[in-house]
Structures are given as structure tokens and as C-alpha cells.
Amino acid sequence: MAIATETLDLGDLGFDRGAHLLIRRALARLAPGQRLQVRGSHRELALHLAGWCRGRGVALEATEGALLLGPCAALARTEQSGTPARPAESAPATWGMAARGADVELGAPAYHFPLATKAEVWAEEAGRLYAQAVAGQWDPDSAIDWNAPFELPDDVEDAVVQVMTYLVENENAALLVPARFLGQLHPHFREVMQCLAITVADEARHVEVFSRRIALRGRKPGLSSVGGQASLKTLFDTADFSVSSLLLAVLGEGSFVNLLNFLNLYAPDPVTRQICRLAARDEARHVAFGMSHLAWHMAEDPSLRHRLETAVEARYDALADTDGLNEEVFDALILLAAGAFEPAAIATGYQRVQDLVREMSDGRRARLMKLGFSLPEAQAMAERHTRNFM
């Protein structure tokens, strides 16, 4: 039986002026088993077409004054990289940088992405949270009134600077940890990639505004303690994406939302209050992403539950001999919450900080229970969280 053919007449159009576009289009439209007959008057057509076919696995033969092309092997040697709307359960290394849902030509180089399965990285809310984050981006120059008038006693300004110093080092960790995982994540899971990227941008902005507040009245940064650095190093050294999501986002940044709201309420100047209000809004999204991811992963892998409990216990043991929150930060928070140096005011400030610590613990427990931990489990994990808050 004769093989059906379609005919393409190029006239005098050659490869030097784009003939390949029409050839590719015609090949793509062939039915299974069909061949393409190419005619044309360009003097180099046969030579150029032969080279083009060799590079693409297309059979070529000359017949009856025309050139006959077989099925385009290049078009057949592809695999679809999932569907645009939903990621695959795992992303092969050879999908590389391809857009999700693209036809990936076989033979592409293999990339090494340690985080390449949906179960270990996915968050059902990632797309919504990314869109929310994009809509909620703010410019430090226009969102904060850096010229707002205020005058603070030196002791109070020093307290603000010490708290801002503490916030900077914690936000440095909150930036670098997701940045490291971002470089390990297969881009097939683009919603997660986008969430991590905008989280990094958020934290970079927080480092900027906290640093600008330190310098606003000509001060240099305050103390960075050994205990604080040790606490943050345990976060930085965590190699497991889901464990990191628990320790950093759900427990640490969740507590930081409480702290930033506390500062928005008790900070002695309008600039600090504006900064903390905006940063708290960003941090709440980071917590929501961590919660969404862990809910997904725990449903996919019940053994994760034990790993998370073990990780909290291991971090608690590693930090058992450290001081936790340094005294300068604790005292600064008391002073800011007191609002004055009278004994009664200091007592009130001290109580407010104690209430903050309890609020942090209650929030951690509530989030852990929302993830499915029992009340005793959640209580134990919440109490073992680092005394450095993050």
C-alpha cells in the first residue's frame, strides 16, 4: 500500500530566508505514517535540507524531482514534563529548567536537584500565598515615614537598637535558610520555588529596615550573643526541608509574629511601630507556607511526624547549655513594654514580656495541634523550642 504524502511547495524560499519554519510546521501536522514531499526552486535547497534533517533525525530521500521527508523523529523523541496546572509526583533530572508541561526533548542534560519529589516539597497553598505575597510587597522608602518626628531618651533608644540588632541576626538566618533550599529545589515545583524566592526577598527587606532603624539616630548595632548565634546555627545546619519548615517557619517565625506584634504595640516611636507591623504581615505568610507544606508532607508520609519530634528534641538538647535569649534583649523588651523607669512601670513591663513568652508558647502549641499532634505532644514540643524565640 502506498504511503500517504503531503506536499509543501516552497517556491524560491530557501533556508537562508526561513524555509525551515514552513517545513517544521508541515511536519508537525502530518498524520501518523505520513511523509512530507518538499518542492522548491532554491538552488541550495537539497543541500541545506539534508543537513537540517540529519540534525533532527528526519529521514530524507530524493524522488521524482522532489525531496521526501519521513516522520520527524525529533518531534517524537520528547516527553511531557507533567501538566501546566499540576506538578508530577516526581520531577526527573532531565526535565531540568523546562517549563512545567513543556515537551522536553530526550537527551537533555541531567540536573542535580536534591528536592525533586512532590511529597517532600509541596504546599497546597503555595500558589495562593505567592500571589498574596506579590500583592503585599512594600517599598521601605515609601511605606515607612523615616522622617517622622520623635525624640527618645538615650536608654530607650539603646533598647530599640538592641532589639533591632537581635532582629537583624534572626532575619539573616530566616533569609539564608530558604535561600539554600531554593537552590536545591527542582523548578518543576514552581509555586514552591516562587514562595521561597519571595520569602528571601521579604527577609532581605526586613534586614534592610531593621538596619536602617539602628542607624536612624546615629547608633551602631548592639550585642550579638553566643547563645543567640548557637541557636541560629542549628537552623542553618538543618539539612531536611520539612524539618527546617517546622523549626524555622512554624515554631520560630510563628513566635516572631508574636514578637513583632508586641513591638508594634509597645515600641516608643512611630518608625519602629511601622517597621514591625509590616514585617509581621510578611512573617505570617511564611508561617502559613510552612504549615501548608507540613500538612501536605505529613499526609503523604506519616513517618515525618516522628522525625519532626526527634528534630525538636535534638535541637533542645544541643542548646541545653546555652543562655538562650541574651539578657540585653530581654531587658530591652521589658523597658520598651514599661514605657517609663518608675518601679511600677518596670513591673508592668516585666509582666508584659512574661505574657509574650506564654503567648508564643501557646501559639506554637496551637499550630502543632493543627498539624495533627496531640495536646501532650504539642505541649512538649512547644516547651522545648529554643529560648532564643527563633
Side-chain angles (χ1 to χ4, degrees):
M1 184 174 66
I3 298 175
T5 62
E6 291 289 330
T7 299
L8 173 65
D9 193 337
L10 295 172
D12 64 353
L13 181 68
F15 273 72
D16 56 343
R17 290 187 294 148
H20 67 286
L21 294 176
L22 297 181
I23 295 170
R24 284 173 55 187
R25 181 170 182 265
L27 284 171
R29 294 183 171 193
L30 291 180
Q34 279 191 314
R35 294 190 294 180
L36 177 68
Q37 188 180 65
V38 178
R39 297 183 180 275
S41 59
H42 191 282
R43 59 192 180 91
E44 302 290 345
L45 177 62
L47 178 64
H48 292 166
L49 184 58
W52 186 87
C53 289
R54 277 197 304 272
R56 289 157 182 79
V58 179
L60 175 67
E61 62 180 280
T63 177
E64 300 177 3
L67 297 161
L68 194 63
L69 279 64
C72 182
L75 294 178
R77 296 200 323 268
T78 63
E79 62 174 325
Q80 188 174 3
S81 56
T83 61
R86 297 290 295 178
E89 294 302 314
S90 64
T94 52
W95 286 1
M97 301 295 175
R100 193 167 70 212
D103 292 321
V104 180
E105 189 173 6
L106 300 183
Y111 289 75
H112 176 59
F113 292 112
L115 298 173
T117 64
K118 185 178 180 181
E120 64 185 338
V121 302
W122 191 243
E124 199 64 37
E125 292 291 299
R128 182 187 66 82
L129 290 170
Y130 174 69
Q132 185 184 89
V134 170
Q137 294 299 289
W138 46 276
D139 179 357
D141 285 332
S142 59
I144 297 166
D145 183 6
W146 296 101
N147 296 315
F150 69 88
E151 292 295 334
L152 301 178
D154 286 345
D155 289 346
V156 177
E157 179 66 20
D158 289 343
V160 172
V161 166
Q162 180 59 66
V163 172
M164 292 294 111
T165 301
Y166 166 76
L167 292 176
V168 167
E169 69 179 25
N170 281 271
E171 296 296 67
N172 281 336
L175 184 159
L176 291 171
V177 171
R180 182 183 61 198
F181 287 118
L182 182 59
Q184 299 176 11
L185 178 69
H186 199 301
H188 179 77
F189 305 102
R190 66 168 187 262
E191 294 88 347
V192 176
M193 177 180 68
Q194 290 164 336
C195 270
L196 292 179
I198 209 159
T199 294
V200 169
D202 287 343
E203 302 297 8
R205 187 170 57 246
H206 297 173
V207 169
E208 176 193 345
V209 295
F210 295 147
S211 298
R212 287 175 68 171
R213 178 59 188 89
I214 289 171
L216 191 61
R217 292 293 186 264
R219 298 292 206 277
K220 73 176 189 65
L223 175 70
S224 174
S225 70
V226 171
Q229 294 276 12
S231 178
L232 296 177
K233 189 173 186 299
T234 61
L235 293 177
F236 188 76
D237 290 344
T238 300
D240 184 294
F241 181 70
S242 293
V243 168
S244 178
S245 294
L246 177 77
L247 298 180
L248 175 61
V250 174
L251 300 180
E253 289 178 299
S255 295
F256 256 57
V257 172
N258 298 123
L259 175 60
L260 291 167
N261 287 333
F262 178 90
L263 292 170
N264 180 38
L265 183 61
Y266 294 116
D269 66 272
V271 175
T272 302
R273 291 194 295 271
Q274 291 172 28
I275 288 171
C276 292
R277 184 183 70 253
L278 291 167
R281 190 176 67 189
D282 293 338
E283 295 294 350
R285 286 196 308 270
H286 307 167
V287 177
F289 172 77
M291 291 287 291
S292 179
H293 163 66
L294 287 172
W296 174 274
H297 195 173
M298 291 174 75
E300 294 291 308
D301 179 10
S303 70
L304 176 61
R305 178 194 193 92
H306 177 67
R307 291 196 350 246
L308 297 178
E309 291 180 286
T310 300
V312 170
E313 193 69 35
R315 188 180 186 211
Y316 175 79
D317 291 342
L319 297 174
D321 295 329
T322 65
D323 292 334
L325 187 69
N326 75 59
E327 184 177 5
E328 284 75 9
V329 175
F330 188 79
D331 290 350
L333 291 174
I334 293 173
L335 179 57
L336 297 183
F341 289 97
E342 285 75 20
I346 294 298
T348 297
Y350 182 89
Q351 186 58 51
R352 286 170 175 168
V353 173
Q354 295 301 315
D355 292 342
L356 169 65
V357 172
R358 280 191 291 272
E359 181 184 342
M360 289 176 169
S361 182
D362 291 346
R364 292 192 295 268
R365 183 179 64 246
R367 289 188 295 275
L368 289 165
M369 290 178 67
K370 188 174 181 179
L371 288 173
F373 291 98
S374 68
L375 175 58
E377 291 169 336
Q379 183 68 36
M381 293 170 72
E383 290 176 351
R384 282 167 172 73
H385 182 63
T386 171
R387 291 167 291 171
N388 192 52
F389 297 164
M390 181 71 86

